[in-house]
Amino acid sequence: MSLEERRKSRVTLLDVARHANVSRATASLVLRKSPLVGSETRIRVENAMRDLGYVYNIGAARLRVERSQIIGAIVPNLTNPFFAELLSGIEGAIGATGKVVILANSGDEVERQEMLLRRMREHGVDGVILCPAACTEQALSDQIADWGMPVVQVLRHISRDLDYVGVDYAAGMRQAVDYLASLGHETIAFAVHGPIHSAYQERVDGFHDAMRSRALEPGMIIRFPAQLGDIAEATHLLFDQPKRPTAVICFNHIVALGLSAGLHDCGLTIGRDISLVGFDDVADAEAIRPKLTSVATGPVAIGEMAARLLVDRIADPDLPARHVVSDTILHIRQSCGRPDRKN
Amino acid sequence: MSLEERRKSRVTLLDVARHANVSRATASLVLRKSPLVGSETRIRVENAMRDLGYVYNIGAARLRVERSQIIGAIVPNLTNPFFAELLSGIEGAIGATGKVVILANSGDEVERQEMLLRRMREHGVDGVILCPAACTEQALSDQIADWGMPVVQVLRHISRDLDYVGVDYAAGMRQAVDYLASLGHETIAFAVHGPIHSAYQERVDGFHDAMRSRALEPGMIIRFPAQLGDIAEATHLLFDQPKRPTAVICFNHIVALGLSAGLHDCGLTIGRDISLVGFDDVADAEAIRPKLTSVATGPVAIGEMAARLLVDRIADPDLPARHVVSDTILHIRQSCGRPDRKN
DNA sequence: CTGAAAGCGCTTACAG
DNA sequence: CTGAAAGCGCTTACAG
């Protein structure tokens, strides 16, 4: 009986048309706000829709028309607040166009990513915003081209043939290094962690380049554990170096949070005994003490921009590939000082 | 021409059937792994699918069958890491069943929530996991029943007629109060912020009850700004009270982060001069110093549980409504000490 | 095990 | 402006 009711309650466009004394074609035109329909007719149909509780069936429409109004978003990690902000930007901008976003988490695994991509194709997504899992091969780009599926890469890239929106990581590293150098630091470490991908590589290369152009010794890359909980107790890695760094740049806000805690545990005062620069500048940067000087990358805006590019590409698949790289901003707060020459 | 190609490349089940020399019905059976098909036939069909690059069209199938394999998730805020973890649990558990999740952000606005719900119905979602926007009226529950749409409420509830999975906030508050009382605190504040909803109310009520049952003076509820960035500088509110609190329980990790910073700015040492208990226990709790004693609510597990309930309800819409409320765990770390009687 | 046929709810020319 | 008809890609009885 509840099944009965539910079945009964499914009202179709034909029901609406009958109730309004028009043909189904006319009702369809009203639905899509065609100017072909007279206003009295339109109103009659709209009333019928309301009275009957009609709900448009996008899936059925999709069968005839080439738009599902669904786009996919694949990120490597959902619990990282940085990706949450990215997603927030994507969802906001896509939602504003009346489309809907299917969310998926690749966990940075290429097989899982492959499965998700297939699932999304089965759902007929109009396109996807992809932050490629680490170790994704460039060949994926050819596959995507074969499929004829609009894709924009975000934050990480695997091919120049696809649209891309990301961050000018090299410039960000230069800002950090220049700032520290201006305070007198010469021995600067770059504390990294996590899987290797384009954004990782660009940061590392950017660090080396920035150090070189300041005529500083490059090369002090120190790898920390992937999990926030393990970073603090690995802080000693900083001091196991041949030359002890007076300043450290963090790969992202997770490393910054971990080291900020770990240095505190070592009895060091950040900003006096050692300088710390964060990267990504999510909300925490303001909240930890001392306030963290940080390179801001604006994840929400990046998500919005990626959404915009995807919408454009769906509208015109033959557009040449675009690559937009956004500027970083160094927010100077309280976590850096002059080097302590005693060390 | 690229259009041509794309159109050409759309291979249907009929193409597969022809290529494998079977009827479309048989191909469909293979697709759905029916045991009715002989294994040689099955293999022939599977090869044809592979050779032709066939992609199942779920949307077309949905038209015949009552399952879209899409579920919706509506949360009030995407940038709050707590909701990101919740979402992660939802996506993981739903994804594991082969379904896909449409994500949407209500921004805690009921009109927006209404629009999102409609959009999801248009997409024929099989059900939705809803964290109701603040001020959602109970009438929504009746609407949902009318629609015949499976819904599970998560974290916040508006009606007992709908499934719900949330947290035993009252028990969490009791744990916090009991712990502080056992250290000797008598003047305890509850620092709240954000919109009012069931989870808010339950925490406040739980606080009062817990204080009363310890024979302590209840009632010190102090409201802080909604934005993390504004909380630290509102810390003085704690001291504008008739009786200065020796301990404060935080509404969530955002308040905890903000106050932790603000108290530091006031020159107070947390755990010695004043005690702080967090709520939610997202990753940060381990990372701020002193380590934050916190009531853990396990958002990932809650998301998973909500997904499980939704799947059950979709399978059997006539199930009686279930309400699962998960236990909290008090993680004792370093942010609490005995009250300083000098104050 | 397989084929022919009807139908899910829409859109789109094509006539009127 | 409106109606009749075909078709999007699948599934589901129903015969064989």
Coordinates of all heavy atoms in Angstrom, one line a residue, chain A residues 22-23 25-26 36 38 41 63-64, chain D residues 1-9:
Chain A
V22 N -3.5 20.7 -22.0 CA -2.6 21.0 -23.1 C -1.9 19.8 -23.5 O -2.1 18.7 -22.9 CB -1.5 22.1 -22.7 CG1 -2.2 23.4 -22.3 CG2 -0.7 21.5 -21.6
S23 N -1.1 19.8 -24.5 CA -0.4 18.6 -24.9 C 0.9 18.5 -24.1 O 1.3 19.5 -23.5 CB 0.0 18.7 -26.4 OG 1.1 19.6 -26.5
A25 N 3.8 18.3 -25.2 CA 4.9 19.1 -25.8 C 4.8 20.5 -25.2 O 5.8 21.1 -24.8 CB 4.7 19.2 -27.3
T26 N 3.6 21.0 -25.0 CA 3.4 22.3 -24.5 C 3.9 22.4 -23.0 O 4.6 23.3 -22.6 CB 1.9 22.8 -24.5 OG1 1.5 22.6 -25.9 CG2 1.8 24.2 -24.1
L36 N 7.6 30.5 -26.5 CA 6.6 30.1 -27.4 C 5.2 29.9 -26.8 O 4.2 29.9 -27.5 CB 7.0 28.8 -28.1 CG 8.2 28.8 -29.0 CD1 8.5 27.4 -29.6 CD2 8.1 29.8 -30.1
G38 N 1.9 31.0 -24.7 CA 1.2 32.1 -24.2 C 1.1 32.2 -22.7 O 1.2 31.2 -22.0
T41 N -1.7 30.2 -20.9 CA -1.4 28.8 -21.0 C -0.3 28.5 -20.0 O -0.4 27.5 -19.2 CB -0.9 28.4 -22.4 OG1 -1.7 29.0 -23.3 CG2 -0.8 26.9 -22.5
L63 N 18.2 11.5 -21.2 CA 18.2 10.5 -22.2 C 18.1 11.0 -23.6 O 18.6 10.5 -24.6 CB 17.0 9.5 -21.9 CG 17.3 8.0 -22.1 CD1 18.6 7.6 -21.5 CD2 16.1 7.2 -21.5
R64 N 17.3 12.2 -23.7 CA 17.1 12.8 -25.0 C 18.2 13.8 -25.2 O 18.6 14.1 -26.3 CB 15.8 13.5 -25.0 CG 14.6 12.5 -25.0 CD 14.3 12.0 -26.4 NE 15.0 12.6 -27.5 CZ 14.6 12.8 -28.6 NH1 13.3 12.6 -28.9 NH2 15.3 13.4 -29.6
Chain D
dC1 P 1.9 33.1 -28.0 OP1 1.0 33.3 -26.9 OP2 3.4 33.4 -27.8 O5' 1.8 31.7 -28.5 C5' 1.2 30.7 -27.7 C4' 0.5 29.7 -28.6 O4' 1.3 29.6 -29.8 C3' 0.6 28.3 -28.0 O3' -0.7 27.9 -27.5 C2' 1.0 27.4 -29.2 C1' 0.9 28.4 -30.4 N1 1.9 28.1 -31.5 C2 1.6 27.2 -32.4 O2 0.5 26.6 -32.3 N3 2.5 26.9 -33.4 C4 3.6 27.6 -33.5 N4 4.4 27.3 -34.5 C5 4.0 28.6 -32.5 C6 3.1 28.8 -31.5
dT2 P -0.8 26.7 -26.6 OP1 -2.1 26.9 -25.9 OP2 0.5 26.6 -25.8 O5' -0.9 25.5 -27.6 C5' -2.2 25.4 -28.3 C4' -2.1 24.1 -29.1 O4' -1.0 24.2 -30.1 C3' -1.8 22.8 -28.3 O3' -2.7 21.9 -28.6 C2' -0.4 22.4 -28.7 C1' -0.4 23.0 -30.2 N1 1.0 23.3 -30.8 C2 1.3 22.7 -31.9 O2 0.5 21.9 -32.5 N3 2.5 23.0 -32.4 C4 3.4 23.9 -31.9 O4 4.5 24.1 -32.4 C5 3.1 24.5 -30.6 C7 4.0 25.4 -29.9 C6 1.8 24.1 -30.1
dG3 P -3.0 20.6 -27.7 OP1 -4.3 20.8 -27.1 OP2 -1.8 20.5 -26.8 O5' -3.0 19.4 -28.7 C5' -2.7 19.7 -30.1 C4' -2.7 18.5 -30.9 O4' -1.6 18.5 -31.7 C3' -2.6 17.1 -30.1 O3' -3.1 16.1 -30.9 C2' -1.1 17.0 -29.9 C1' -0.6 17.7 -31.2 N9 0.6 18.5 -31.0 C8 0.9 19.3 -30.0 N7 2.1 19.9 -30.1 C5 2.6 19.5 -31.3 C6 3.8 19.8 -32.0 O6 4.7 20.6 -31.7 N1 3.9 19.1 -33.2 C2 2.9 18.3 -33.7 N2 3.2 17.7 -34.9 N3 1.8 18.0 -33.1 C4 1.7 18.6 -31.9
dA4 P -3.1 14.6 -30.5 OP1 -4.4 14.1 -30.7 OP2 -2.5 14.5 -29.1 O5' -2.1 13.9 -31.5 C5' -2.0 14.4 -32.8 C4' -1.1 13.5 -33.6 O4' 0.3 14.0 -33.6 C3' -0.9 12.1 -33.1 O3' -0.5 11.2 -34.2 C2' 0.2 12.2 -32.1 C1' 1.1 13.2 -32.8 N9 1.8 14.1 -31.9 C8 1.4 14.6 -30.6 N7 2.3 15.4 -30.1 C5 3.3 15.5 -31.0 C6 4.4 16.3 -31.1 N6 4.8 17.1 -30.1 N1 5.2 16.2 -32.2 C2 4.8 15.4 -33.2 N3 3.7 14.6 -33.3 C4 3.0 14.7 -32.2
dA5 P 0.1 9.8 -33.9 OP1 -0.3 9.0 -35.1 OP2 -0.3 9.3 -32.6 O5' 1.6 9.9 -34.0 C5' 2.2 10.6 -35.1 C4' 3.7 10.3 -35.1 O4' 4.4 11.3 -34.2 C3' 4.1 8.9 -34.6 O3' 5.3 8.5 -35.3 C2' 4.4 9.2 -33.1 C1' 5.1 10.5 -33.2 N9 5.0 11.3 -32.0 C8 4.1 11.3 -30.9 N7 4.3 12.1 -30.0 C5 5.5 12.7 -30.4 C6 6.3 13.8 -29.8 N6 6.0 14.3 -28.6 N1 7.3 14.2 -30.5 C2 7.6 13.7 -31.7 N3 7.0 12.7 -32.3 C4 5.9 12.3 -31.6
dA6 P 5.8 7.0 -35.2 OP1 5.5 6.4 -36.5 OP2 5.3 6.4 -34.0 O5' 7.3 7.2 -35.1 C5' 7.9 8.4 -35.7 C4' 9.2 8.7 -35.0 O4' 9.0 9.5 -33.8 C3' 10.0 7.5 -34.6 O3' 11.4 7.7 -34.8 C2' 9.7 7.4 -33.1 C1' 9.6 8.9 -32.7 N9 8.9 9.3 -31.5 C8 7.7 8.7 -31.0 N7 7.3 9.2 -29.9 C5 8.2 10.3 -29.7 C6 8.3 11.2 -28.7 N6 7.4 11.3 -27.7 N1 9.3 12.1 -28.8 C2 10.2 12.0 -29.8 N3 10.2 11.1 -30.8 C4 9.2 10.3 -30.7
dG7 P 12.4 6.4 -34.7 OP1 13.3 6.5 -35.9 OP2 11.6 5.2 -34.4 O5' 13.2 6.9 -33.4 C5' 13.7 8.2 -33.4 C4' 14.3 8.4 -32.0 O4' 13.2 8.7 -31.1 C3' 15.0 7.1 -31.4 O3' 16.2 7.4 -30.8 C2' 14.0 6.6 -30.4 C1' 13.4 7.9 -29.9 N9 12.1 7.8 -29.3 C8 11.1 6.9 -29.5 N7 10.0 7.1 -28.7 C5 10.4 8.2 -27.9 C6 9.8 8.8 -26.8 O6 8.6 8.6 -26.4 N1 10.5 9.8 -26.3 C2 11.8 10.2 -26.7 N2 12.3 11.2 -26.0 N3 12.4 9.6 -27.7 C4 11.7 8.6 -28.2
dC8 P 17.4 6.4 -30.7 OP1 18.3 6.5 -31.9 OP2 16.8 5.1 -30.4 O5' 18.2 6.9 -29.4 C5' 18.5 8.2 -29.2 C4' 18.5 8.5 -27.7 O4' 17.2 8.7 -27.3 C3' 19.0 7.3 -26.9 O3' 20.4 7.4 -26.7 C2' 18.2 7.4 -25.6 C1' 17.0 8.4 -25.9 N1 15.7 7.8 -25.8 C2 14.7 8.4 -25.0 O2 15.1 9.4 -24.4 N3 13.5 7.9 -24.9 C4 13.2 6.8 -25.6 N4 11.9 6.4 -25.4 C5 14.1 6.2 -26.4 C6 15.3 6.7 -26.5
dG9 P 21.3 6.2 -27.1 OP1 22.7 6.7 -27.1 OP2 20.8 5.5 -28.3 O5' 21.2 5.2 -25.9 C5' 21.6 5.7 -24.6 C4' 21.1 4.7 -23.6 O4' 19.7 4.6 -23.6 C3' 21.5 3.2 -23.9 O3' 22.1 2.7 -22.7 C2' 20.3 2.5 -24.2 C1' 19.2 3.3 -23.5 N9 17.9 3.3 -24.1 C8 17.6 3.2 -25.4 N7 16.3 3.2 -25.6 C5 15.7 3.2 -24.3 C6 14.3 3.2 -23.9 O6 13.3 3.2 -24.6 N1 14.2 3.3 -22.5 C2 15.3 3.4 -21.7 N2 15.0 3.4 -20.4 N3 16.6 3.4 -22.0 C4 16.7 3.3 -23.4

